[in-house]
Amino acid sequence: MAKSGLRQDPQSTAAATVLKRAVELDSESRYPQALVCYQEGIDLLLQVLKGTKDNTKRCNLREKISKYMDRAENIKKYLDQEKEDGKYHKQIKIEENATGFSYESLFREYLNETVTEVWIEDPYIRHTHQGIEQVQQSRGLQEIEESLRSHGVLLEVQYSSSIHDREIRFNNGWMIKIGRGLDYFKKPQSRFSLGYCDFDLRPCHETTVDIFHKKHTKNI
């Protein structure tokens, strides 16, 4: 797909940059990331169109927007089919000391109103900065269970001496596997440091997040 060729103002420049990246990701078959860039680039082009009065330029912009929208729609249909067939796979690489990867940031896209059950398998939840101190694990889990029950959420805990895999499954078909499990955050320097409460500001260990979608998930 051709470059947008827009270099007249900041919005046009931003649109050209984002759409160039979309085309690159598209050519590398990195379709989920490409779709996001296409959508962002299209939004920027629409803003440029609103501020353009010249009829010729408006016609050119509409043509470009239409082409990018057609490609984005084709990618979306492809990804939807991948999800339906259970072949969808997205990978996120978290670099050492990276920030902006809180649990909310990672899971928000996949937690919608259709989710009624979540299964978490993680063999190494034991550190304080993971939410549970090893010595107080039983008591802590009991307190969490009681707190969740007051909000209409049922927590069931099962122990296994043989589990090694780490995965999180939602009953809407999404499955998330994190290389380090839930233990990908670094310990905060102090209770007063940035990131102690806001996990988006807490540095991470290097790890990889693999996201899959399956039409059916098993029940436990």
Side-chain angles (χ1 to χ4, degrees), residues 1 6 19 62 65 70 77 102 115 119 154 158 175 189 195 200 203 205 213-214:
M1 187 172 292
L6 300 173
L19 289 167
R62 288 195 187 95
I65 291 170
D70 287 344
K77 289 179 180 178
S102 67
V115 177
W119 302 289
L154 176 64
Q158 298 180 3
M175 177 186 295
Q189 295 179 345
D200 269 319
H205 293 287
H213 187 276
K214 294 188 176 181

mmCIF file of all heavy atoms in Angstrom, residues 1 6 19 62 65 70 77 102 115 119 154 158 175 189 195 200 203 205 213-214:
data_model
loop_
_atom_site.group_PDB
_atom_site.id
_atom_site.type_symbol
_atom_site.label_atom_id
_atom_site.label_comp_id
_atom_site.label_asym_id
_atom_site.label_seq_id
_atom_site.Cartn_x
_atom_site.Cartn_y
_atom_site.Cartn_z
ATOM 1 N N MET A 1 0.843 -1.190 0.000
ATOM 2 C CA MET A 1 0.000 0.000 0.000
ATOM 3 C C MET A 1 0.880 1.242 0.000
ATOM 4 O O MET A 1 1.905 1.297 0.673
ATOM 5 C CB MET A 1 -0.895 -0.005 1.252
ATOM 6 C CG MET A 1 -1.930 1.109 1.255
ATOM 7 S SD MET A 1 -3.080 0.893 2.631
ATOM 8 C CE MET A 1 -3.930 -0.589 2.078
ATOM 9 N N LEU A 6 1.551 12.769 3.171
ATOM 10 C CA LEU A 6 1.083 13.994 3.800
ATOM 11 C C LEU A 6 2.185 14.578 4.675
ATOM 12 O O LEU A 6 2.625 13.958 5.614
ATOM 13 C CB LEU A 6 -0.154 13.692 4.654
ATOM 14 C CG LEU A 6 -1.340 13.113 3.884
ATOM 15 C CD1 LEU A 6 -2.416 12.696 4.855
ATOM 16 C CD2 LEU A 6 -1.879 14.121 2.901
ATOM 17 N N LEU A 19 0.688 5.472 9.699
ATOM 18 C CA LEU A 19 0.267 4.603 8.599
ATOM 19 C C LEU A 19 1.459 3.908 7.940
ATOM 20 O O LEU A 19 1.333 2.770 7.469
ATOM 21 C CB LEU A 19 -0.516 5.419 7.569
ATOM 22 C CG LEU A 19 -1.908 5.848 8.055
ATOM 23 C CD1 LEU A 19 -2.505 6.901 7.125
ATOM 24 C CD2 LEU A 19 -2.836 4.644 8.170
ATOM 25 N N ARG A 62 -10.094 11.489 1.091
ATOM 26 C CA ARG A 62 -11.167 10.491 1.162
ATOM 27 C C ARG A 62 -10.741 9.183 0.494
ATOM 28 O O ARG A 62 -11.058 8.096 0.964
ATOM 29 C CB ARG A 62 -12.434 11.029 0.493
ATOM 30 C CG ARG A 62 -13.146 12.125 1.291
ATOM 31 C CD ARG A 62 -14.560 12.328 0.754
ATOM 32 N NE ARG A 62 -15.227 13.464 1.373
ATOM 33 C CZ ARG A 62 -15.269 14.682 0.864
ATOM 34 N NH1 ARG A 62 -14.684 14.931 -0.306
ATOM 35 N NH2 ARG A 62 -15.898 15.656 1.497
ATOM 36 N N ILE A 65 -8.251 7.455 2.810
ATOM 37 C CA ILE A 65 -8.958 6.914 3.977
ATOM 38 C C ILE A 65 -9.719 5.653 3.588
ATOM 39 O O ILE A 65 -9.719 4.656 4.319
ATOM 40 C CB ILE A 65 -9.913 7.972 4.567
ATOM 41 C CG1 ILE A 65 -9.105 9.111 5.199
ATOM 42 C CG2 ILE A 65 -10.849 7.349 5.600
ATOM 43 C CD1 ILE A 65 -9.937 10.311 5.601
ATOM 44 N N ASP A 70 -10.456 -0.103 3.998
ATOM 45 C CA ASP A 70 -10.682 -1.409 3.366
ATOM 46 C C ASP A 70 -9.661 -2.430 3.868
ATOM 47 O O ASP A 70 -10.011 -3.578 4.182
ATOM 48 C CB ASP A 70 -10.589 -1.293 1.847
ATOM 49 C CG ASP A 70 -11.797 -0.589 1.243
ATOM 50 O OD1 ASP A 70 -12.824 -0.466 1.946
ATOM 51 O OD2 ASP A 70 -11.704 -0.159 0.072
ATOM 52 N N LYS A 77 -11.395 -8.886 9.710
ATOM 53 C CA LYS A 77 -12.118 -10.109 9.350
ATOM 54 C C LYS A 77 -11.201 -11.327 9.478
ATOM 55 O O LYS A 77 -11.621 -12.385 9.961
ATOM 56 C CB LYS A 77 -12.657 -10.006 7.919
ATOM 57 C CG LYS A 77 -13.811 -9.031 7.760
ATOM 58 C CD LYS A 77 -14.275 -8.981 6.307
ATOM 59 C CE LYS A 77 -15.430 -8.005 6.127
ATOM 60 N NZ LYS A 77 -15.864 -7.912 4.710
ATOM 61 N N SER A 102 0.913 -2.810 33.744
ATOM 62 C CA SER A 102 0.149 -3.274 34.899
ATOM 63 C C SER A 102 -0.776 -4.404 34.474
ATOM 64 O O SER A 102 -1.013 -4.631 33.284
ATOM 65 C CB SER A 102 -0.669 -2.125 35.488
ATOM 66 O OG SER A 102 -1.686 -1.735 34.578
ATOM 67 N N VAL A 115 -17.311 -12.076 30.455
ATOM 68 C CA VAL A 115 -16.466 -12.881 31.338
ATOM 69 C C VAL A 115 -17.160 -13.114 32.675
ATOM 70 O O VAL A 115 -17.518 -12.169 33.379
ATOM 71 C CB VAL A 115 -15.106 -12.204 31.573
ATOM 72 C CG1 VAL A 115 -14.267 -13.027 32.563
ATOM 73 C CG2 VAL A 115 -14.351 -12.053 30.265
ATOM 74 N N TRP A 119 -9.581 -18.405 35.338
ATOM 75 C CA TRP A 119 -8.740 -19.435 35.930
ATOM 76 C C TRP A 119 -7.286 -18.964 35.872
ATOM 77 O O TRP A 119 -6.784 -18.590 34.809
ATOM 78 C CB TRP A 119 -8.869 -20.749 35.162
ATOM 79 C CG TRP A 119 -10.275 -21.271 35.112
ATOM 80 C CD1 TRP A 119 -10.997 -21.803 36.135
ATOM 81 C CD2 TRP A 119 -11.133 -21.293 33.959
ATOM 82 N NE1 TRP A 119 -12.243 -22.160 35.704
ATOM 83 C CE2 TRP A 119 -12.361 -21.858 34.375
ATOM 84 C CE3 TRP A 119 -10.989 -20.884 32.634
ATOM 85 C CZ2 TRP A 119 -13.443 -22.032 33.510
ATOM 86 C CZ3 TRP A 119 -12.058 -21.048 31.768
ATOM 87 C CH2 TRP A 119 -13.261 -21.618 32.199
ATOM 88 N N LEU A 154 -16.749 -15.216 43.645
ATOM 89 C CA LEU A 154 -16.355 -16.427 44.349
ATOM 90 C C LEU A 154 -14.920 -16.797 43.995
ATOM 91 O O LEU A 154 -14.578 -16.938 42.823
ATOM 92 C CB LEU A 154 -17.294 -17.582 43.975
ATOM 93 C CG LEU A 154 -16.939 -18.956 44.565
ATOM 94 C CD1 LEU A 154 -17.035 -18.933 46.087
ATOM 95 C CD2 LEU A 154 -17.859 -20.033 43.981
ATOM 96 N N GLN A 158 -6.978 -23.963 44.661
ATOM 97 C CA GLN A 158 -6.541 -25.352 44.651
ATOM 98 C C GLN A 158 -5.017 -25.375 44.618
ATOM 99 O O GLN A 158 -4.395 -24.561 43.938
ATOM 100 C CB GLN A 158 -7.099 -26.095 43.439
ATOM 101 C CG GLN A 158 -8.624 -26.176 43.404
ATOM 102 C CD GLN A 158 -9.133 -26.927 42.178
ATOM 103 O OE1 GLN A 158 -8.343 -27.441 41.385
ATOM 104 N NE2 GLN A 158 -10.441 -26.989 42.034
ATOM 105 N N MET A 175 -6.838 -16.710 26.352
ATOM 106 C CA MET A 175 -5.837 -17.363 27.181
ATOM 107 C C MET A 175 -4.548 -16.534 27.125
ATOM 108 O O MET A 175 -4.088 -16.162 26.044
ATOM 109 C CB MET A 175 -5.565 -18.783 26.700
ATOM 110 C CG MET A 175 -4.462 -19.502 27.488
ATOM 111 S SD MET A 175 -4.043 -21.114 26.784
ATOM 112 C CE MET A 175 -5.581 -21.987 27.027
ATOM 113 N N GLN A 189 11.297 0.059 45.453
ATOM 114 C CA GLN A 189 12.400 0.467 46.318
ATOM 115 C C GLN A 189 11.915 0.791 47.725
ATOM 116 O O GLN A 189 12.622 0.555 48.709
ATOM 117 C CB GLN A 189 13.117 1.671 45.710
ATOM 118 C CG GLN A 189 13.807 1.343 44.397
ATOM 119 C CD GLN A 189 14.497 2.558 43.791
ATOM 120 O OE1 GLN A 189 14.240 3.691 44.201
ATOM 121 N NE2 GLN A 189 15.372 2.321 42.836
ATOM 122 N N GLY A 195 5.206 3.650 41.710
ATOM 123 C CA GLY A 195 5.004 2.268 41.316
ATOM 124 C C GLY A 195 4.637 1.361 42.468
ATOM 125 O O GLY A 195 4.290 0.198 42.245
ATOM 126 N N ASP A 200 1.421 0.507 36.780
ATOM 127 C CA ASP A 200 1.852 1.005 35.473
ATOM 128 C C ASP A 200 3.183 1.734 35.588
ATOM 129 O O ASP A 200 3.897 1.902 34.592
ATOM 130 C CB ASP A 200 0.799 1.946 34.877
ATOM 131 C CG ASP A 200 -0.211 1.204 34.014
ATOM 132 O OD1 ASP A 200 0.215 0.301 33.268
ATOM 133 O OD2 ASP A 200 -1.404 1.516 34.092
ATOM 134 N N PRO A 203 8.705 -0.770 37.439
ATOM 135 C CA PRO A 203 9.569 -1.442 36.463
ATOM 136 C C PRO A 203 9.330 -2.950 36.444
ATOM 137 O O PRO A 203 8.984 -3.555 37.461
ATOM 138 C CB PRO A 203 10.983 -1.110 36.959
ATOM 139 C CG PRO A 203 10.813 0.119 37.793
ATOM 140 C CD PRO A 203 9.473 -0.022 38.453
ATOM 141 N N HIS A 205 10.516 -7.016 35.085
ATOM 142 C CA HIS A 205 11.551 -7.920 34.594
ATOM 143 C C HIS A 205 11.264 -8.213 33.121
ATOM 144 O O HIS A 205 10.128 -8.113 32.664
ATOM 145 C CB HIS A 205 11.522 -9.240 35.367
ATOM 146 C CG HIS A 205 11.914 -9.118 36.806
ATOM 147 N ND1 HIS A 205 13.209 -8.913 37.213
ATOM 148 C CD2 HIS A 205 11.162 -9.173 37.937
ATOM 149 C CE1 HIS A 205 13.261 -8.859 38.531
ATOM 150 N NE2 HIS A 205 12.026 -9.009 39.000
ATOM 151 N N HIS A 213 -6.546 -17.075 21.517
ATOM 152 C CA HIS A 213 -7.999 -17.117 21.637
ATOM 153 C C HIS A 213 -8.485 -18.469 21.150
ATOM 154 O O HIS A 213 -8.116 -18.931 20.075
ATOM 155 C CB HIS A 213 -8.673 -16.021 20.818
ATOM 156 C CG HIS A 213 -10.159 -15.940 21.046
ATOM 157 N ND1 HIS A 213 -11.052 -16.738 20.379
ATOM 158 C CD2 HIS A 213 -10.887 -15.179 21.904
ATOM 159 C CE1 HIS A 213 -12.275 -16.467 20.797
ATOM 160 N NE2 HIS A 213 -12.212 -15.533 21.714
ATOM 161 N N LYS A 214 -9.296 -19.103 21.969
ATOM 162 C CA LYS A 214 -9.875 -20.392 21.606
ATOM 163 C C LYS A 214 -11.392 -20.296 21.698
ATOM 164 O O LYS A 214 -11.921 -19.659 22.601
ATOM 165 C CB LYS A 214 -9.370 -21.491 22.530
ATOM 166 C CG LYS A 214 -7.878 -21.748 22.378
ATOM 167 C CD LYS A 214 -7.452 -22.967 23.171
ATOM 168 C CE LYS A 214 -5.974 -23.276 22.937
ATOM 169 N NZ LYS A 214 -5.520 -24.476 23.682
#
